[in-house]
């Protein structure tokens, strides 16, 4: 049975036009948040797709010193590792900016992300909350941030973070919790490639509650920026 999802789908011809529209839209949200609250928070995903649009977002003309940037999730590796989402943000976003935002890492010295939750929650509590804007990617299996299909997502927990063991990846991860995602002021999912777009069509037509993307879209409005 189809869900009562509140999804707005914006389809683009190619990645450059998606990146351009995304940058314009992100700029409006962050500017409004700065005007209203004096500061703004932006969450960006890891993975491969952001390498395409983050350099364009880095060109947005904003008082970035009033913006706090963090990640939707992190692999439990050193920030110098090629697997690190922090490394990706530094290389494809922060290094391209004239004026630096405040970057909040999701990596700590703890041996396992489970042990880091209290510290990370404190770190994130220093950001403007709810997050002004969360940009998410979508994994081919329907995961968002590092919330994987079949994981138990505690909707009653006040924690901003949750540890995760990905089904097919070498290191454990830390993720923003589903509740932290749901509570944010605006959510954009960037979907690239025919396969992922077909997955979205399929999950909208027959939503499987074990898939975190489905739980998100059933809980609050989500905007999709899509291209083949
Ligand atoms: O592992 C991850 O994967 C998803 C999707 O990434 P992509 O490589 O398919 O673009 C990403 O959203 C998440 O932040 C990342 O850690």
């Amino acid at each position: 049975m189809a869900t009562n999802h509140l999804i707005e789908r914006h389809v683009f011809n190619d990645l450059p036009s998606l990146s351009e529209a995304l940058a314009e839209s992100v700029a409006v949200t962050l500017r409004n948040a700065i005007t209203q609250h004096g500061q703004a928070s932006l969450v960006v995903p890891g993975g491969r797709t952001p390498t395409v649009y983050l350099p364009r977002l880095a060109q947005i003309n904003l008082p970035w010193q009033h913006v706090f940037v963090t990640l939707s999730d992190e692999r439990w590796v050193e920030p110098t590792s090629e697997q690190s989402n922090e490394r990706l943000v530094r290389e494809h976003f922060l290094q391209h900016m004239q004026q630096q935002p405040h970057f909040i890492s999701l990596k700590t010295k703890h041996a396992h992300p489970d042990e880091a939750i209290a510290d990370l929650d404190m770190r994130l509590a220093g950001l403007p909350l709810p997050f002004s804007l969360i940009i998410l990617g979508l994994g081919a299996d329907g995961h968002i941030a590092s919330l994987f299909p079949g994981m138990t997502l505690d909707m009653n927990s006040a924690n901003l973070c949750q540890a995760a063991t990905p089904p097919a990846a070498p290191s454990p991860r830390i993720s923003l919790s589903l509740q932290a995602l749901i509570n944010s002021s605006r959510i954009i999912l960037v979907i690239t490639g025919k396969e992922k777009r077909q997955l979205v069509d399929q999950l909208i037509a027959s939503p499987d509650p074990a898939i975190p993307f489905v739980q998100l879209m059933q809980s609050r409005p989500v905007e999709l920026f899509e291209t083949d």
Side-chain angles (χ1 to χ4, degrees):
M1 202 173 77
T3 179
N4 290 328
H5 52 268
L6 288 162
I7 288 197
E8 221 179 277
R9 300 184 75 168
H10 305 277
V11 181
F12 299 91
N13 289 335
D14 48 38
L15 273 167
S17 41
L18 184 152
S19 304
E20 194 54 40
L22 182 65
E24 283 167 21
S25 195
V26 167
V28 171
T29 297
L30 296 183
R31 216 167 272 136
N32 287 344
I34 294 168
T35 306
Q36 280 178 32
H37 310 294
Q39 50 188 12
S41 46
L42 170 67
V43 176
V44 295
R48 287 177 309 273
T49 316
T51 60
V52 179
Y53 61 78
L54 283 179
R56 175 60 190 91
L57 299 194
Q59 307 306 323
I60 298 172
N61 183 17
L62 270 184
W64 282 104
Q65 73 274 20
H66 299 306
V67 181
F68 293 74
V69 175
T70 192
L71 282 154
S72 64
D73 62 308
E74 182 59 284
R75 293 101 185 256
W76 216 247
V77 294
E78 289 307 310
T80 47
S81 160
E82 291 204 343
Q83 293 303 309
S84 165
N85 284 340
E86 175 170 339
R87 176 174 165 166
L88 167 125
V89 168
R90 291 192 184 281
E91 285 184 3
H92 295 274
F93 189 51
L94 301 178
Q95 280 181 18
H96 296 259
M97 301 176 89
Q98 304 268 336
Q99 197 170 34
Q100 290 296 298
H102 306 271
F103 176 71
I104 287 74
S105 166
L106 289 188
K107 181 68 175 66
T108 68
K109 293 285 176 212
H110 296 90
H112 192 275
D114 259 330
E115 300 156 16
I117 290 175
D119 281 15
L120 286 174
D121 271 12
M122 258 183 353
R123 256 186 217 179
L124 292 173
L127 272 69
L129 295 174
F131 297 115
S132 318
L133 171 60
I134 294 197
I135 305 175
L136 293 172
L138 179 73
D141 58 358
H143 79 265
I144 46 170
S146 277
L147 304 175
F148 291 89
M151 255 173 77
T152 306
L153 306 178
D154 184 358
M155 301 289 281
N156 297 315
S157 162
N159 289 338
L160 294 168
C161 295
Q162 169 161 11
T165 306
S171 44
R173 299 195 182 183
I174 193 79
S175 178
L176 292 185
S177 63
L178 184 62
Q179 208 48 48
L181 301 182
I182 287 171
N183 288 342
S184 66
S185 302
R186 184 177 180 204
I187 300 180
I188 295 177
L189 253 98
V190 176
I191 316 281
T192 55
K194 279 203 174 74
E195 226 178 89
K196 287 186 188 175
R197 295 192 61 213
Q198 280 165 5
L199 176 67
V200 169
D201 292 343
Q202 184 195 318
L203 291 174
I204 290 174
S206 64
D208 172 354
I211 309 282
F213 168 70
V214 170
Q215 296 193 33
L216 180 72
M217 74 174 174
Q218 287 180 330
S219 306
R220 55 150 301 142
V222 174
E223 295 162 62
L224 304 188
F225 279 54
E226 308 176 40
T227 185
D228 281 348

XYZ file of all heavy atoms in Angstrom, residues 144-187:
315
model
N 20.259 5.742 4.670
C 20.484 7.194 4.703
C 21.414 7.450 5.888
O 21.337 6.750 6.890
C 19.169 7.990 4.883
C 18.314 7.369 5.985
C 18.415 8.106 3.573
C 17.131 8.214 6.380
N 22.294 8.448 5.789
C 23.359 8.644 6.775
C 24.035 7.277 6.955
O 24.341 6.621 5.958
C 22.808 9.238 8.074
N 24.192 6.765 8.199
C 24.621 5.364 8.327
C 23.542 4.587 9.074
O 23.817 3.801 9.968
C 25.987 5.245 9.015
O 27.017 5.454 8.055
N 22.305 4.827 8.683
C 21.165 4.063 9.201
C 20.806 3.054 8.113
O 20.356 3.433 7.024
C 19.989 4.996 9.511
C 20.307 6.141 10.490
C 19.121 7.084 10.629
C 20.753 5.597 11.850
N 21.082 1.776 8.414
C 20.977 0.730 7.396
C 19.670 -0.050 7.528
O 19.095 -0.125 8.628
C 22.176 -0.224 7.515
C 23.472 0.434 7.121
C 24.238 1.100 8.064
C 23.898 0.422 5.796
C 25.412 1.744 7.702
C 25.070 1.060 5.423
C 25.833 1.727 6.377
N 19.209 -0.654 6.421
C 17.984 -1.450 6.467
C 18.047 -2.496 7.577
O 19.078 -3.145 7.751
C 17.937 -2.116 5.090
C 18.712 -1.209 4.210
C 19.787 -0.603 5.079
N 16.975 -2.600 8.330
C 16.885 -3.627 9.368
C 17.439 -3.190 10.715
O 17.228 -3.863 11.721
N 18.141 -2.039 10.763
C 18.676 -1.580 12.050
C 17.535 -1.155 12.962
O 16.520 -0.627 12.488
C 19.558 -0.327 11.821
C 21.029 -0.568 11.903
S 21.960 0.910 11.415
C 21.828 1.976 12.837
N 17.722 -1.345 14.279
C 16.706 -0.853 15.214
C 16.935 0.637 15.421
O 18.016 1.047 15.853
C 16.830 -1.600 16.560
O 16.764 -2.986 16.265
C 15.724 -1.217 17.520
N 15.934 1.427 15.080
C 16.064 2.880 15.214
C 15.159 3.321 16.359
O 13.938 3.217 16.247
C 15.667 3.568 13.910
C 16.401 3.071 12.656
C 15.895 3.783 11.423
C 17.910 3.249 12.805
N 15.781 3.748 17.447
C 15.010 4.095 18.637
C 14.424 5.494 18.492
O 15.101 6.498 18.672
C 15.924 4.005 19.870
C 15.144 4.260 21.149
O 13.932 4.536 21.062
O 15.755 4.175 22.228
N 13.130 5.530 18.193
C 12.472 6.814 17.955
C 12.249 7.582 19.262
O 11.910 8.759 19.235
C 11.125 6.590 17.268
C 11.236 5.878 15.946
S 11.962 6.916 14.686
C 10.553 7.916 14.238
N 12.397 6.913 20.411
C 12.159 7.611 21.682
C 13.448 8.104 22.326
O 13.411 8.774 23.345
C 11.438 6.683 22.673
C 10.081 6.305 22.131
O 9.350 7.160 21.631
N 9.751 5.020 22.189
N 14.579 7.761 21.719
C 15.855 8.183 22.297
C 16.086 9.674 22.020
O 15.767 10.167 20.944
C 16.978 7.353 21.673
O 18.194 7.990 21.889
N 16.659 10.343 23.026
C 16.960 11.773 22.844
C 18.343 11.952 22.221
O 18.760 13.062 21.928
C 16.902 12.470 24.188
N 19.081 10.847 22.001
C 20.429 10.959 21.450
C 20.425 11.508 20.029
O 19.574 11.142 19.220
C 21.123 9.596 21.436
C 21.494 9.122 22.830
O 21.608 9.937 23.743
N 21.662 7.832 22.994
N 21.410 12.339 19.742
C 21.538 12.875 18.382
C 22.285 11.897 17.482
O 22.240 12.005 16.265
C 22.292 14.208 18.423
C 21.577 15.358 19.140
C 22.515 16.520 19.367
C 20.371 15.805 18.312
N 23.013 10.948 18.118
C 23.829 10.000 17.349
C 23.481 8.563 17.672
O 22.971 8.263 18.751
C 25.306 10.188 17.689
S 25.948 11.768 17.210
N 23.811 7.691 16.748
C 23.617 6.249 16.948
C 24.790 5.538 16.269
O 25.199 5.913 15.162
C 22.288 5.843 16.297
C 22.093 4.357 16.200
C 20.647 3.927 15.993
O 19.764 4.740 15.726
N 20.414 2.630 16.087
N 25.317 4.505 16.937
C 26.402 3.727 16.320
C 25.798 2.709 15.358
O 24.641 2.302 15.525
C 27.215 3.021 17.397
N 26.577 2.313 14.364
C 26.055 1.379 13.360
C 27.142 0.434 12.889
O 28.317 0.808 12.807
C 25.529 2.163 12.152
N 26.712 -0.801 12.582
C 27.620 -1.756 11.949
C 27.087 -1.994 10.546
O 26.048 -2.632 10.379
C 27.640 -3.095 12.723
O 27.937 -2.801 14.093
C 28.668 -4.045 12.168
N 27.757 -1.453 9.533
C 27.219 -1.622 8.173
C 27.274 -3.079 7.736
O 28.217 -3.790 8.108
C 28.113 -0.749 7.310
C 29.274 -0.386 8.136
C 28.988 -0.689 9.571
N 26.295 -3.542 6.972
C 26.287 -4.940 6.551
C 27.482 -5.310 5.677
O 27.982 -6.423 5.766
C 24.978 -5.087 5.777
C 24.437 -3.721 5.575
C 25.129 -2.792 6.507
N 27.968 -4.385 4.859
C 29.053 -4.754 3.949
C 30.104 -3.657 3.855
O 30.324 -3.082 2.793
C 28.488 -5.044 2.568
N 30.720 -3.310 4.967
C 31.803 -2.327 4.938
C 32.751 -2.656 6.092
O 32.319 -3.213 7.100
C 31.245 -0.915 5.082
N 34.019 -2.325 5.960
C 35.011 -2.788 6.929
C 34.911 -2.170 8.317
O 35.214 -2.828 9.307
C 36.342 -2.418 6.273
C 36.014 -1.387 5.259
C 34.604 -1.598 4.848
N 34.506 -0.885 8.429
C 34.584 -0.251 9.754
C 33.198 0.089 10.290
O 32.272 0.351 9.496
C 35.427 1.021 9.651
O 35.062 1.728 8.515
N 33.078 0.124 11.646
C 31.805 0.574 12.208
C 31.611 2.058 11.924
O 32.520 2.727 11.412
C 31.958 0.304 13.704
C 33.406 0.208 13.951
C 34.060 -0.209 12.673
N 30.443 2.556 12.255
C 30.151 3.952 11.902
C 29.384 4.655 13.008
O 28.781 4.012 13.851
C 29.298 3.989 10.640
C 30.007 3.361 9.471
C 29.316 3.736 8.240
N 29.933 3.119 7.084
C 29.524 3.340 5.846
N 28.508 4.143 5.626
N 30.135 2.767 4.838
N 29.408 5.971 12.940
C 28.514 6.777 13.763
C 27.572 7.487 12.803
O 27.974 7.881 11.702
C 29.297 7.790 14.646
C 28.404 8.386 15.725
C 29.934 8.881 13.820
C 28.185 7.498 16.910
N 26.334 7.626 13.205
C 25.340 8.266 12.342
C 24.531 9.240 13.169
O 24.351 9.030 14.378
C 24.394 7.187 11.791
O 23.401 7.777 10.993
N 24.013 10.284 12.554
C 22.970 11.053 13.228
C 21.794 10.101 13.400
O 21.554 9.232 12.551
C 22.555 12.277 12.402
C 23.608 13.381 12.250
C 23.007 14.573 11.523
C 24.190 13.821 13.595
N 21.066 10.242 14.487
C 19.926 9.358 14.738
C 18.763 9.755 13.829
O 18.706 10.892 13.329
C 19.492 9.466 16.191
O 19.052 10.785 16.459
N 17.855 8.813 13.636
C 16.682 9.127 12.791
C 15.932 10.320 13.386
O 15.465 11.194 12.654
C 15.771 7.900 12.682
C 14.574 8.098 11.749
C 15.010 8.368 10.314
C 13.644 6.893 11.789
N 15.839 10.346 14.718
C 15.110 11.440 15.363
C 15.785 12.783 15.088
O 15.113 13.780 14.834
C 15.040 11.151 16.870
C 13.844 11.755 17.565
C 12.520 11.499 16.859
O 12.223 10.384 16.480
N 11.743 12.551 16.659
N 17.126 12.814 15.106
C 17.841 14.067 14.812
C 17.570 14.510 13.371
O 17.414 15.699 13.086
C 19.339 13.889 15.034
N 17.491 13.535 12.459
C 17.193 13.876 11.063
C 15.773 14.437 10.961
O 15.537 15.488 10.363
C 17.301 12.641 10.159
C 18.648 11.901 10.108
C 18.577 10.744 9.120
C 19.777 12.844 9.726
N 14.841 13.705 11.568
C 13.423 14.089 11.476
C 13.186 15.485 12.060
O 12.387 16.259 11.544
C 12.555 13.030 12.198
C 12.504 11.751 11.368
C 11.148 13.541 12.479
C 11.863 10.563 12.068
N 13.917 15.814 13.140
C 13.694 17.101 13.815
C 14.272 18.303 13.073
O 14.025 19.433 13.467
C 14.318 17.077 15.221
C 13.518 16.195 16.151
O 12.360 15.875 15.869
N 14.129 15.787 17.251
N 15.083 18.064 12.037
C 15.753 19.202 11.408
C 14.751 20.053 10.627
O 13.673 19.602 10.269
C 16.866 18.711 10.505
O 16.278 18.012 9.457
N 15.140 21.307 10.389
C 14.192 22.248 9.766
C 13.925 21.910 8.303
O 12.821 22.133 7.801
C 14.727 23.672 9.854
O 14.933 23.992 11.195
N 14.932 21.404 7.618
C 14.728 21.087 6.198
C 15.596 19.893 5.822
O 16.748 19.819 6.273
C 15.120 22.310 5.358
C 14.857 22.143 3.890
C 15.195 23.387 3.099
N 14.926 23.154 1.691
C 15.501 23.798 0.680
N 16.372 24.761 0.933
N 15.217 23.498 -0.566
N 15.069 18.990 5.002
C 15.855 17.821 4.572
C 15.837 17.724 3.044
O 14.773 17.720 2.416
C 15.269 16.506 5.127
C 15.252 16.536 6.652
C 16.090 15.310 4.643
C 14.695 15.283 7.282
